[in-house]
Amino acid sequence: MTSDIKHFPNLLDMPLKPITSDRLAKPVGPFSPAVRDGDRVYTSGQVAQDPATGKLIQGSVAAQTEQIFHNLKVILEAADKTLADVVKVNVYLTDIKRFTEMNEVYARHFIAPYPARTTVAVAALPLNAEVEIEMIAN
């Protein structure tokens, strides 16, 4: 950390602030659901955890995507943000053939101009989820 201070003198002036909500399931690892860095909010990747049980919901990629958006809206609300503030989205799918199913749900949650987005296929996700989504909001 001390070597970082030489290169980034404002590092200690701008600590990350965790964003949490009691309307979310507890994270499955040592991370915050989101952090605020100045006015920007970075969400951790969210899978379709049921806030009441912490377990992954059962259902299709569409159902999981819908639950993820519900969870992300809770996080953004806790940070005084909305989906309209989102500038970048990363989507991870365990089967890229399910892209259309995810994308149909995704499209219902944003209006133009749409956030920048990256979608990639991955081998596996936490809790055996089929989709995970993370966002950056300004």
Side-chain angles (χ1 to χ4, degrees):
M1 175 89 164
T2 55
S3 65
D4 289 341
I5 292 172
K6 286 189 283 184
H7 298 292
F8 304 101
N10 294 331
L11 189 63
L12 296 178
D13 296 336
M14 300 174 65
L16 296 179
K17 295 182 178 104
I19 307 293
T20 61
S21 173
D22 59 2
R23 296 172 38 214
L24 291 171
K26 297 279 185 222
V28 296
F31 59 87
S32 299
V35 293
R36 178 184 299 278
D37 181 21
D39 206 33
R40 187 161 288 165
V41 172
Y42 299 85
T43 73
S44 292
Q46 296 294 306
V47 295
Q49 284 181 278
D50 179 332
T53 66
K55 296 182 193 258
L56 188 73
I57 66 159
Q58 298 300 305
S60 65
V61 166
Q64 287 190 22
T65 303
E66 199 62 61
Q67 180 65 49
I68 290 167
F69 269 94
H70 170 78
N71 295 346
L72 285 164
K73 286 177 183 178
V74 167
I75 293 168
L76 291 171
E77 181 180 303
D80 294 321
K81 303 283 184 186
T82 70
L83 289 175
D85 298 308
V86 173
V87 296
K88 176 72 168 106
V89 180
N90 291 329
V91 179
Y92 308 93
L93 290 166
T94 57
D95 184 352
I96 202 67
K97 294 176 188 157
R98 309 298 294 275
F99 175 86
T100 300
E101 190 177 344
M102 174 281 301
N103 199 52
E104 288 173 355
V105 174
Y106 179 99
R108 291 196 299 265
H109 290 278
F110 290 108
I111 58 171
Y114 301 104
R117 180 176 81 183
T118 300
T119 303
V120 296
V122 296
L125 291 167
L127 303 177
N128 292 317
E130 293 185 62
V131 61
E132 180 174 2
I133 301 174
E134 64 184 11
M135 298 178 173
I136 299 171
N138 250 349

